[in-house]
Amino acid sequence: GYKVRGTVRSKKDKKKMNALKELPHKENLEIVEADLLKPETWNEAVKGCQYVMHVASPFPLDHVKDENSIIKPAVEGTLAVLKAAAQNHVKGVVLTSSIVAVQSLGNSSKKEYTEGDWADLDTVPAYNKSKAMAEKAAWDFYNKLDSSVRFKLTTILPGLIMGPALISTDFTSGEIIRQLLVGEVPAIPRVNFGIVDVRNVAEAHVAAMESPQSDG
């Protein structure tokens, strides 16, 4: 196994901290504080790590008035993590992007996507835009890195992630299902999601970290 250093914005959030403390093999887990909008916090968080998985990004359920409240932490946070990774000479970074980074509204019939596909930023919602812009920023940063500090970079683009959760509330994907089950949605919406199991997503991240076939 691996020794893992995870980050939270605040260790004072007892609900989330208690869930982490109950994880199996917790003796291999260290938790430190870091914030996507505080780039100075990431160097210490990354120091001594061989690999970095950047999996966090704002995912609000409700419509946001200011799209920059989502886009700024997504883009700037991603760059802060990548800069810390380069400064600390890590071996590799796995970045959790999203299928919405490549999908545009109205092209749901498309069967296959490649590295050349990107969402149309003029037509998609703020969250979709934030994921596309964050991944583009990541690749732009990576491609400009000097070879002396370049790490391997892999991006993973899952659909809506579902499955067993460490906490029972306060996460958007779980809240979507909760509202449907308890009747808080005022109708039966005709929607569909591409869903992936959180355990498969976790396995994909580890596989990407370990396999040279997924490098950049």
Side-chain angles (χ1 to χ4, degrees):
Y2 295 93
K3 287 189 178 295
V4 176
R5 181 183 297 146
T7 64
V8 294
R9 278 176 292 179
S10 173
K11 290 185 180 182
K12 296 178 181 179
D13 188 331
K14 292 183 178 180
K15 182 172 17 177
K16 293 182 180 179
M17 286 299 298
N18 288 340
L20 294 172
K21 290 176 181 177
E22 295 303 317
L23 286 172
H25 309 295
K26 56 189 175 186
E27 66 276 6
N28 291 328
L29 176 65
E30 174 191 4
I31 301 296
V32 299
E33 292 183 343
D35 191 308
L36 293 177
L37 291 177
K38 297 179 180 178
E40 68 277 7
T41 62
W42 287 99
N43 188 60
E44 196 64 30
V46 171
K47 185 180 294 183
C49 294
Q50 294 186 3
Y51 299 96
V52 173
M53 293 185 184
H54 179 41
V55 301
S57 186
F59 181 23
L61 182 61
D62 298 323
H63 175 74
V64 293
K65 294 181 179 179
D66 180 9
E67 64 178 16
N68 285 316
S69 66
I70 301 175
I71 294 172
K72 184 176 180 179
V75 175
E76 294 185 7
T78 295
L79 291 176
V81 173
L82 295 182
K83 288 175 183 176
Q87 290 169 1
N88 286 278
H89 301 277
V90 304
K91 293 181 179 179
V93 175
V94 182
L95 172 65
T96 311
S97 184
S98 169
I99 191 172
V100 301
V102 298
Q103 285 183 327
S104 297
L105 298 182
N107 71 346
S108 59
S109 62
K110 187 170 177 137
K111 302 297 183 182
E112 183 176 311
Y113 293 87
T114 72
E115 291 87 346
D117 288 299
W118 292 102
D120 181 353
L121 300 184
D122 292 328
T123 63
V124 295
Y127 173 71
N128 305 40
K129 188 181 295 188
S130 76
K131 297 302 288 187
M133 291 176 68
E135 187 181 346
K136 281 187 174 183
W139 286 116
D140 287 343
F141 175 83
Y142 175 78
N143 289 327
K144 294 174 183 176
L145 270 179
D146 186 83
S147 59
S148 63
V149 293
R150 177 171 289 189
F151 45 80
K152 69 172 189 175
L153 175 63
T154 305
T155 57
I156 293 179
L157 285 69
L160 181 64
I161 301 174
M162 294 288 180
L166 299 178
I167 55 177
S168 59
T169 58
D170 299 334
F171 63 105
T172 301
S173 54
E175 185 65 12
I176 293 171
I177 301 302
R178 189 197 68 79
Q179 289 186 4
L180 289 170
L181 290 176
V182 301
E184 289 184 5
V185 179
I188 301 177
R190 189 169 184 174
V191 295
N192 61 78
F193 303 105
I195 295 176
V196 61
D197 191 294
V198 64
R199 292 161 292 191
N200 296 135
V201 176
E203 290 173 354
H205 279 68
V206 175
M209 180 183 76
E210 295 178 336
S211 173
Q213 293 179 322
S214 69
D215 295 0

